[in-house]
Amino acid sequence: MNNKKIAVYPGSFDPITLGHVDIIQRVARLYDQLIVLVAESSTKTSLMTVSERMDLIRQSFLGENNIHVDFHMGGLTVDYARKAGASVIVRGLRAVVDFEYELSMANINKTLAPEIETVLVFASPEYYFVSSRAVKELVRNGGDAARFVPAHVIKPLVDKFRST
Ligand code: ADP
């Protein structure tokens, strides 16, 4: 039997921000393995391809051996978690507006897979207002996102808006 404690952190990561990086680093300390799962959102159109998003996440955690990156095209996160042998789904909480949605998702997931726990982690105060969406708006309008995303994310992000 595999006793490794594995957690899955699903999201769009379009692109990864310092808020995500903070959650990932804090949570990775608590588990043997953390899988950052890039999922296509049914409600959002994405700017970056899944493989671009995965590359930018990987580059953020070079040398951190218990952080893995994977993708999931459709399907339930709990099904992915079961297949991966994960017992925890991690989500980050920012403003109060995140709460209702996360509560509802956690309850649905609990009904579907009682053996999997949702763990909610509060955003650190400095990243409380950072979202991928706000970063995209900023860069689209010519702003500098250096304080909100890892350094290697800036160029690919700026290039996206040049090419669109
Ligand atoms: P989704 O596309 O599912 O809304 P994202 O890809 O933006 O989510 O983010 C994945 C997870 O990370 C979500 O749980 C979201 O609440 C959380 N998150 C996003 N930005 C931050 C941040 N600045 N600090 C903490 N958690 C965050």
Side-chain angles (χ1 to χ4, degrees):
M1 169 157 166
N2 184 358
N3 287 324
K4 268 206 315 187
K5 272 274 176 203
I6 303 174
V8 177
Y9 178 37
S12 318
F13 306 103
D14 184 39
I16 186 164
T17 68
L18 291 178
H20 296 128
V21 170
D22 175 58
I23 297 280
I24 292 165
Q25 280 173 334
R26 287 161 58 203
V27 168
R29 283 187 223 123
L30 307 176
Y31 299 99
D32 297 312
Q33 192 183 113
L34 176 64
I35 303 171
V36 183
L37 187 67
V38 177
E40 277 301 8
S41 164
S42 54
T43 53
K44 299 181 203 164
T45 44
S46 46
L47 178 70
M48 301 194 152
T49 66
V50 168
S51 92
E52 288 167 336
R53 285 180 264 161
M54 290 174 72
D55 276 348
L56 294 178
I57 300 169
R58 276 200 199 98
Q59 287 174 50
S60 308
F61 302 104
L62 295 175
E64 297 188 48
N65 297 331
N66 74 328
I67 300 174
H68 296 252
V69 185
D70 200 357
F71 71 98
H72 195 209
M73 305 304 280
L76 301 173
T77 303
V78 288
D79 288 341
Y80 177 94
R82 275 185 174 141
K83 279 198 197 118
S87 52
V88 168
I89 293 173
V90 175
R91 297 287 290 173
L93 263 196
R94 288 161 294 180
V96 180
V97 290
D98 283 346
F99 184 83
E100 290 268 347
Y101 177 73
E102 296 298 343
L103 180 68
S104 145
M105 285 307 298
N107 277 295
I108 290 172
N109 285 337
K110 192 79 196 160
T111 308
L112 296 173
E115 78 282 14
I116 296 174
E117 283 301 332
T118 296
V119 169
L120 295 174
V121 182
F122 286 107
S124 295
E126 61 271 42
Y127 302 124
Y128 204 76
F129 297 102
V130 178
S131 69
S132 301
R133 192 215 253 190
V135 165
K136 283 183 278 193
E137 270 314 296
L138 177 70
V139 174
R140 190 196 311 275
N141 292 299
D144 178 8
R147 283 158 58 205
F148 309 116
V149 296
H152 63 273
V153 173
I154 302 270
K155 189 176 181 305
L157 193 54
V158 170
D159 287 349
K160 275 282 166 192
F161 288 110
R162 283 216 184 99
S163 62
T164 52

